Amino acid sequence: MTINLRIMLVWLLLVGGGLVLVMQSVIGQLPSTIRQASEEVLVDSANLLAELAALHWDQDFASDAPFVRAVERYGARRFDARIWSRHKTDPDFVLYVTDLTGQVMYHTDRTLIGADFSGWRDVQRTLLGEYGARTTRTDPGDENTSFMYVAAPVQRGGELLGVLSVGQPTASFEPFLALAREQLWQRGSLILLLSLLLGAVLSLWLTRSIRQLVAYVEKLRRGERAAPPALRERELDRLAQATGAMRAEIDGKQYVEDYVHTLTHEMKSPLSAIRAATELLQEADVPEADQRRFLTNVDMESARLQRLIDRLLSLATVEKQQHLSGVETLDFGQLVKQEILAKQTRAQPRNVTLQMVCDKNLSVRGERFLLEQAVSNLLDNAIEFSPDHGDVKIVLDGDAERVWLMVSNAGPPIPDYALARIFERFYSLPRPGSQRKSTGLGLSLVSEVAKLHQGEVSLRNLPEQGVQAVFWLPAQA
């Protein structure tokens, strides 16, 4: 399970679980809250009607008494009251009046006139001078038949005459409860959805640095160059730096081992030649011509060793470099022209002509020294493998995304077996007309420089005759 998913699940449990608990608590409190509000209205209504009943007490609540006729007219009314989602059309109040003994003197249900209500809590407590209220079901098995009653004393001149009680069916609350529940669940679902979206954003934000760190470690594992990411979290940033340092140390040890092995192998041949020449020079009666030849061999092999060491140091510097430093915008055409001028002294002894074609102003972002080294090695390689009196063609072109340098000569094609290894360190082919090889580090250096600049280099055999090297870099907008 990914850390993103774990954070989302924990967030869902915390927010979703908390929201459901709050919703259930609120919904559970809704019935009692609405009943409390309704009870307050019943208290006001009962006391108001009790004052009116006191005015007509002497009329004994006969059928033609004004109080009775007013209540009956209320019962016959038809309303057109649109209360939120409920359309109220009929009256709901139940009203009855009892005397001091609890006997019903008047009831909106005439069949109950004369009944004994002294045992009901609302009547009983009111006669005792206390607050009287009760909730009773007309059908004990059906909670929807409940009525809530509130009583008020009927008084005149401080004398208690009886009790007036007003009742309301609790079923009238249900439409409001249903609407409130629906709205609460709808809004709760919306809040939960928004919380999930927020949780996803939070999860991505929290794991962004972790993903950067994982990507960095993966690049290091694959042997790619990568600079440690700049992470906001101090601990993760320290981990990234420590990982990079550890990889550098591991690579450094392996790097030294590889280089010691390969350098030892490459130095055997020139050292053996130098030793053999010096041993022969130490012999007596060595002809002067042979002495000059042996000394020339010593000089050539020493120069070869020097080139090997110089190239090896340059390549080691580039291979160890994880990212560019001193990056600047360069006129790539001008840089190539300067390197061509510098190579004329190498091309002239063999009458090799360097021809450049460039019709555009092409700029790149990079490190000048490394790009000069790369172009220089490409030109050296093309000149060395070019036949005498041959041409080396340098074409510089580009578009909005890339700038490419193509260096071609008319030399022998690269054998198929060597195409896949041509950029390997210390891999080299004999020069035309000679078995002499180079250090095998030039093209490897070019490849490393291209990678550092987010570019690429390739070699291919031309259809007719010759070899072409293509070195491309990202264009500078």
Side-chain angles (χ1 to χ4, degrees):
M1 184 182 296
T2 64
I3 190 168
N4 274 347
L5 186 56
R6 290 182 181 181
I7 292 175
M8 283 293 295
L9 288 177
V10 172
W11 178 265
L12 180 61
L13 289 175
L14 291 176
V15 176
L19 182 61
V20 169
L21 290 176
V22 171
M23 293 286 293
Q24 289 180 339
S25 176
V26 171
I27 290 175
Q29 291 293 325
L30 278 176
S32 62
T33 302
I34 292 180
R35 289 181 181 182
Q36 290 173 28
S38 297
E39 185 174 346
E40 184 178 5
V41 175
L42 288 175
V43 169
D44 290 337
S45 300
N47 281 276
L48 175 61
L49 291 172
E51 292 296 329
L52 294 175
L55 295 176
H56 303 278
W57 191 266
D58 294 337
Q59 298 174 4
D60 203 23
F61 300 100
S63 59
D64 58 347
F67 180 86
V68 175
R69 290 201 303 269
V71 173
E72 289 177 349
R73 286 196 300 271
Y74 155 76
R77 276 178 176 256
R78 292 297 175 263
F79 309 142
D80 186 17
R82 299 186 181 275
I83 309 170
W84 297 90
S85 63
R86 184 189 180 197
H87 185 199
K88 183 176 177 66
T89 58
D90 299 315
D92 293 325
F93 275 180
V94 173
L95 185 146
Y96 58 85
V97 181
T98 68
D99 58 17
L100 293 176
T101 63
Q103 185 176 6
V104 177
M105 301 174 62
Y106 172 76
H107 201 296
T108 49
D109 182 359
R110 289 186 173 275
T111 61
L112 295 176
I113 295 176
D116 183 9
F117 277 19
S118 61
W120 291 119
R121 181 182 178 85
D122 57 328
V123 176
Q124 184 183 65
R125 295 183 70 86
T126 303
L127 289 175
L128 293 174
E130 301 175 359
Y131 172 64
R134 66 181 171 97
T135 300
T136 306
R137 297 180 182 180
T138 56
D139 181 356
D142 186 1
E143 64 177 354
N144 293 323
T145 62
S146 295
F147 274 76
M148 186 167 61
Y149 295 94
V150 173
V154 180
Q155 297 174 328
R156 185 169 56 190
E159 179 186 359
L160 180 63
L161 302 176
V163 176
L164 183 141
S165 190
V166 177
Q168 182 181 19
T170 58
S172 62
F173 309 153
E174 190 57 37
F176 303 105
L177 287 172
L179 177 63
R181 292 191 189 100
E182 181 181 357
Q183 290 181 342
L184 281 172
W185 282 118
Q186 286 178 351
R187 293 174 184 177
S189 300
L190 179 60
I191 293 172
L192 183 59
L193 178 60
L194 293 176
S195 298
L196 288 176
L197 293 176
L198 180 60
V201 173
L202 180 63
S203 174
L204 292 174
W205 178 71
L206 289 175
T207 58
R208 177 176 176 272
S209 296
I210 297 177
R211 293 195 304 274
Q212 288 180 308
L213 181 59
V214 170
Y216 171 62
V217 173
E218 286 293 329
K219 287 182 179 179
L220 294 182
R221 184 182 64 82
R222 294 192 297 266
E224 299 179 11
R225 285 187 173 87
L231 305 177
R232 296 179 180 179
E233 294 78 11
R234 182 181 303 174
E235 293 79 6
L236 293 180
D237 186 65
R238 290 176 59 188
L239 179 58
Q241 298 295 334
T243 303
M246 179 180 67
R247 177 57 192 264
E249 291 178 5
I250 294 173
D251 285 349
K253 292 179 181 178
Q254 185 64 40
Y255 191 80
V256 170
E257 291 177 3
D258 292 344
Y259 262 67
V260 168
H261 176 76
T262 53
L263 183 60
T264 302
H265 176 76
E266 292 297 322
M267 291 179 68
K268 282 182 179 179
S269 178
L271 285 174
S272 296
I274 292 172
R275 183 174 181 180
T278 54
E279 288 177 352
L280 290 172
L281 285 171
Q282 291 174 0
E283 294 180 0
D285 301 326
V286 178
E288 185 177 349
D290 289 340
Q291 290 181 6
R292 287 196 300 270
R293 181 166 55 86
F294 293 151
L295 288 173
T296 300
N297 286 341
V298 170
D299 183 63
M300 289 178 59
E301 294 301 329
S302 298
R304 181 182 174 188
L305 282 175
Q306 185 63 50
R307 288 195 304 273
L308 177 64
I309 292 172
D310 291 342
R311 288 285 181 89
L312 192 61
L313 290 175
S314 297
L315 180 60
T317 301
V318 175
E319 287 182 334
K320 293 287 287 180
Q321 192 170 338
Q322 294 296 317
H323 53 84
L324 297 173
S325 60
V327 177
E328 56 183 309
T329 301
L330 302 170
D331 184 340
F332 199 44
Q334 185 62 33
L335 184 147
V336 174
K337 288 178 183 178
Q338 291 174 355
E339 291 302 314
I340 291 175
L341 288 175
K343 299 302 175 185
Q344 294 294 341
T345 55
R346 295 199 62 182
Q348 286 175 358
R350 297 177 50 218
N351 294 312
V352 174
T353 303
L354 303 179
Q355 300 177 351
M356 180 175 178
V357 179
C358 180
D359 300 327
K360 300 178 181 179
N361 292 323
L362 301 169
S363 297
V364 296
R365 291 279 294 171
E367 195 170 327
R368 179 181 292 274
F369 175 75
L370 294 181
L371 292 178
E372 289 174 347
Q373 291 289 308
V375 175
S376 175
N377 278 281
L378 286 175
L379 293 176
D380 283 342
N381 201 66
I383 293 170
E384 289 181 6
F385 281 90
S386 178
D388 293 345
H389 304 281
D391 293 331
V392 173
K393 188 175 182 180
I394 302 106
V395 178
L396 187 61
D397 203 352
D399 54 24
E401 296 182 357
R402 293 181 177 182
V403 172
W404 55 85
L405 174 67
M406 294 179 290
V407 182
S408 310
N409 65 13
I414 301 172
D416 292 340
Y417 66 83
L419 282 172
R421 302 185 58 193
I422 202 67
F423 292 103
E424 287 183 13
R425 189 190 308 142
F426 297 111
Y427 188 81
S428 180
L429 294 172
R431 270 43 182 167
S434 170
Q435 293 303 311
R436 183 176 58 87
K437 295 183 180 182
S438 68
T439 61
L441 299 174
L443 290 179
S444 181
L445 175 65
V446 175
S447 177
E448 294 297 326
V449 172
K451 291 176 183 177
L452 269 176
H453 286 80
Q454 307 301 315
E456 192 175 321
V457 63
S458 61
L459 257 69
R460 66 187 183 94
N461 293 320
L462 295 176
E464 296 180 358
Q465 179 69 20
V467 176
Q468 182 182 73
V470 179
F471 178 79
W472 68 261
L473 301 170
Q476 170 65 23

